[in-house]
Amino acid sequence: MEATTNRRRWSPEGPSAASASYSPDRVYFPHQPKSLAGIALRSFCLGIGLALGVGGTIATLIFTSSPLWRLPFFIGTLALFHFLEFWTTAAYNTRVAEISSFLLTANWPAYAIAHAFATLESLVTSVVWPNRTWAPLHSGPLLCLAGFVLVVIGQTVRSVAMVQAGPSFNHMVQQQRGAGHVLVTTGIYARLRHPSYFGFFWWALGTQLVLGNLISFFAYAAVLWRFFSSRIKHEEDLLIKFFDEEYVDYRKKVGTKIPFVP
């Protein structure tokens, strides 16, 4: 009997391996949805991306007259956006925070293709036509500044919306009302219906103004309008089921501030 116990103790498939398979902490192990190692690695890489983006933008502006500063700015903006998506979820809706909360593979591969095309468009135009004046009445610098303002406003509004909604915010449209799901109508939600969508819509268009992308600006506008108008309609059908007349009254009073989405 003792010999049998020893064999189990030292076997690679012994109690320690078995207990790990059924451990309540398994979800935090590598290759799991809430993997702490995966979260740390992605945060580290996004931090490097943000640092390179900020450093590259400043260095290019100081030491050259090249419009290529737009590219590291875009990289830094993307890194900050994806980090804040996870951070706000982890801080204010902790139970649902997982690797997917970074949104790095959301709507894959369309999302990646869109950003890759925008990067390529800006790179080609900056290298081949560095002195182009695509904007009417030489308004390029003004549109670039407007884009920067939209990026800041869009990111701020989206992050604040996630913070204020707390457990009632989720990256996935919920088909059933959760126990802690309440209708938030105060704070930023008193001025904007679906402020997180408003924030992303204008943030994304702002990045294309900063990049000076003519094609991508209109492509982003068309694709995002179609996506959000459809998503909002679907989501609001569910919200009316969840909150009945309370949501109907709220929808009548507060708009989305996304063009042609009442």
Side-chain angles (χ1 to χ4, degrees):
M1 185 68 179
E2 181 63 28
T4 302
T5 303
N6 287 338
R7 282 198 299 271
R8 289 180 179 174
R9 181 180 302 161
W10 293 104
S11 170
E13 302 300 328
S16 60
S19 61
S21 300
Y22 300 101
S23 169
D25 296 329
R26 180 176 175 79
V27 70
Y28 303 108
F29 292 173
H31 311 299
Q32 298 300 316
K34 294 178 180 287
S35 167
L36 296 181
I39 290 169
L41 178 61
R42 286 162 177 78
S43 298
F44 178 72
C45 291
L46 290 173
I48 292 176
L50 178 58
L52 290 176
V54 172
T57 301
I58 294 174
T60 307
L61 286 171
I62 292 177
F63 298 111
T64 75
S65 59
S66 171
L68 285 172
W69 64 266
R70 302 168 190 265
L71 294 179
F73 174 85
F74 188 43
I75 292 172
T77 300
L78 284 172
L80 179 62
F81 168 79
H82 287 290
F83 173 76
L84 287 176
E85 287 297 294
F86 177 82
W87 184 86
T88 50
T89 303
Y92 297 94
N93 194 8
T94 309
R95 287 183 179 275
V96 303
E98 55 185 32
I99 288 177
S100 63
S101 301
F102 283 104
L103 295 189
L104 289 168
T105 56
N107 299 304
W108 188 270
Y111 181 78
I113 292 172
H115 288 331
F117 181 85
T119 301
L120 182 62
E121 180 184 356
S122 182
L123 176 62
V124 170
T125 54
S126 294
V127 172
V128 179
W129 301 289
N131 299 315
R132 81 192 193 287
T133 55
W134 60 270
L137 303 176
H138 303 284
S139 58
L142 185 60
L143 290 177
C144 182
L145 177 61
F148 178 77
V149 172
L150 286 177
V151 168
V152 173
I153 291 176
Q155 181 65 75
T156 302
V157 169
R158 182 172 175 86
S159 295
V160 169
M162 293 173 67
V163 169
Q164 291 188 348
S168 294
F169 181 90
N170 200 297
H171 284 122
M172 303 297 294
V173 175
Q174 301 300 290
Q175 303 301 313
Q176 295 182 337
R177 182 180 178 182
H181 190 181
V182 299
L183 180 61
V184 182
T185 59
T186 58
I188 200 167
Y189 286 85
R191 296 181 176 273
L192 294 168
R193 202 170 84 247
H194 304 291
S196 66
Y197 298 160
F198 167 94
F200 186 86
F201 181 85
W202 292 110
W203 171 88
L205 294 188
T207 62
Q208 299 313 297
L209 287 178
V210 174
L211 288 174
N213 285 344
L214 184 62
I215 297 174
S216 293
F217 176 83
F218 288 106
Y220 272 47
V223 171
L224 287 174
W225 181 86
R226 182 177 180 181
F227 174 79
F228 282 128
S229 60
S230 174
R231 185 178 175 108
I232 287 173
K233 183 179 184 303
H234 172 60
E235 185 172 338
E236 291 193 333
D237 287 342
L238 293 169
L239 288 170
I240 290 174
K241 291 181 180 179
F242 297 164
F243 301 105
D244 200 35
E245 289 300 318
E246 184 182 5
Y247 189 81
V248 174
D249 292 340
Y250 171 68
R251 185 171 62 174
K252 290 178 182 179
K253 297 175 183 177
V254 183
T256 64
K257 304 300 189 294
I258 296 176
F260 309 110
V261 180

